[in-house]
């Protein structure tokens, strides 16, 4: 029996947006813009540490607090760097290869598309707009806008309600087993883990190439 999948919901960071490459490019910009060579002779050391901290689950204030401590930056510079990140990080957003092609194909095939992402509302939406993908989506739910974070089922349920869909007609695509795959499966969704060489048996499919996703969804419908 053909399953009727009509909705595809995505995580943002490390699923559609290459957070690591975005962080590297932004850190390189800040190092030059704020003459951080006065404090940190090795440019790559700052880029590496910024990217590493920005990949962890912590506030941006904490990221810069740790950088200020490590590299002995003065307090005024800490505030300037943080404000600059809030206003300009999205300009350095890098999407994964095949992003637009994949979303365009899903849209043409009639799927309703959504995003569920943890993060501050303005910050996540700025990145989505900078990637040029905002108009593909019927609904975007950020944890900052609803004060609920993944893996809480409630944030997924908000998206399903807005998209007028139900779990068994929805595929969720994300990079985290704990925050994306487990709660989506618990709500009856099909799941695709965005990962390379993952061994988990929890998701319905694993892929690292966005352009494969439309075909994977077709195979999920026909299995």
């Amino acid at each position: 029996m053909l399953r009727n999948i009509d909705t595809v919901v995505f995580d943002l960071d490390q699923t559609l947006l290459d957070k690591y490459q975005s962080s590297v490019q932004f850190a390189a910009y800040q190092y030059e813009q704020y003459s951080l060579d006065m404090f940190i002779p090795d440019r790559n050391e700052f880029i590496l540490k910024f990217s590493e901290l920005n990949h962890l689950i912590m506030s941006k204030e904490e990221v810069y607090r740790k950088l200020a401590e490590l590299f002995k930056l003065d307090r005024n510079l800490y505030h300037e760097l943080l404000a600059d990140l809030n206003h300009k990080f999205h300009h350095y957003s890098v999407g994964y290869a095949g992003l637009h092609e994949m979303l365009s194909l899903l849209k043409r095939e009639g799927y309703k598309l959504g995003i569920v992402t943890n993060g501050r509302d303005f910050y996540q939406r700025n990145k989505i707009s900078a990637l040029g993908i905002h108009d593909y989506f019927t609904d975007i739910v950020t944890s900052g806008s609803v004060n609920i974070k993944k893996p809480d089922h409630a944030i997924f349920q908000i998206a399903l309600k807005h998209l007028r869909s139900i779990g068994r007609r929805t595929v969720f695509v994300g990079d985290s087993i704990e925050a994306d795959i487990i709660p989506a499966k618990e709500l009856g969704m099909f799941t695709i883990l965005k990962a390379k060489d993952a061994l988990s048996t929890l998701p319905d499919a694993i892929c690292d190439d966005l352009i494969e996703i439309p075909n994977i969804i077709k195979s999920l419908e026909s299995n």
Side-chain angles (χ1 to χ4, degrees), residues 13-169:
D13 295 320
Q14 292 300 103
T15 299
L16 302 177
L17 176 122
D18 187 334
K19 191 174 179 182
Y20 178 75
Q21 286 302 325
S22 302
S23 297
V24 165
Q25 294 203 19
F26 182 76
Y29 147 74
Q30 280 205 325
Y31 186 85
E32 302 300 333
Q33 181 70 18
Y34 289 90
S35 302
L36 296 182
D37 56 317
M38 294 187 297
F39 303 92
I40 315 154
D42 186 345
R43 175 178 178 268
N44 288 333
E45 188 181 0
F46 175 73
I47 291 171
L48 186 65
K49 197 63 187 176
F50 176 88
S51 302
E52 179 186 304
L53 291 172
N54 203 48
H55 200 69
L56 299 175
I57 298 173
M58 65 171 67
S59 70
K60 303 309 175 190
E61 289 83 0
E62 184 65 17
V63 167
Y64 280 104
R65 218 173 353 257
K66 287 184 180 296
L67 290 171
E69 288 170 9
L70 180 64
F71 297 117
K72 297 180 170 48
L73 306 177
D74 65 49
R75 189 157 182 79
N76 287 339
L77 193 52
Y78 158 84
H79 289 295
E80 284 183 44
L81 291 169
L82 179 59
D84 185 58
L85 173 128
N86 287 334
H87 290 105
K88 293 184 181 172
F89 182 87
H90 61 282
H91 294 309
Y92 297 84
S93 296
V94 177
Y96 284 110
L99 173 61
H100 283 266
E101 190 179 350
M102 179 269 294
L103 291 174
S104 179
L105 185 55
L106 291 176
K107 197 76 173 173
R108 284 200 308 272
E109 292 184 354
Y111 293 102
K112 294 177 285 187
L113 304 181
I115 288 178
V116 173
T117 174
N118 285 348
R120 297 172 295 171
D121 189 61
F122 80 92
Y123 195 71
Q124 299 302 84
R125 287 181 182 275
N126 281 347
K127 289 188 284 188
I128 291 164
S129 294
L131 289 172
I133 60 174
H134 183 276
D135 290 346
Y136 288 113
F137 296 98
T138 302
D139 189 54
I140 295 166
V141 182
T142 68
S143 66
S145 67
V146 295
N147 293 317
I148 304 166
K149 285 187 173 183
K150 295 183 297 179
D152 192 319
H153 285 188
I155 192 168
F156 295 88
Q157 289 166 327
I158 289 167
L160 289 176
K161 183 179 179 183
H162 290 173
L163 290 161
R164 297 183 177 179
S165 193
I166 55 178
R168 62 185 168 84
R169 291 188 175 179

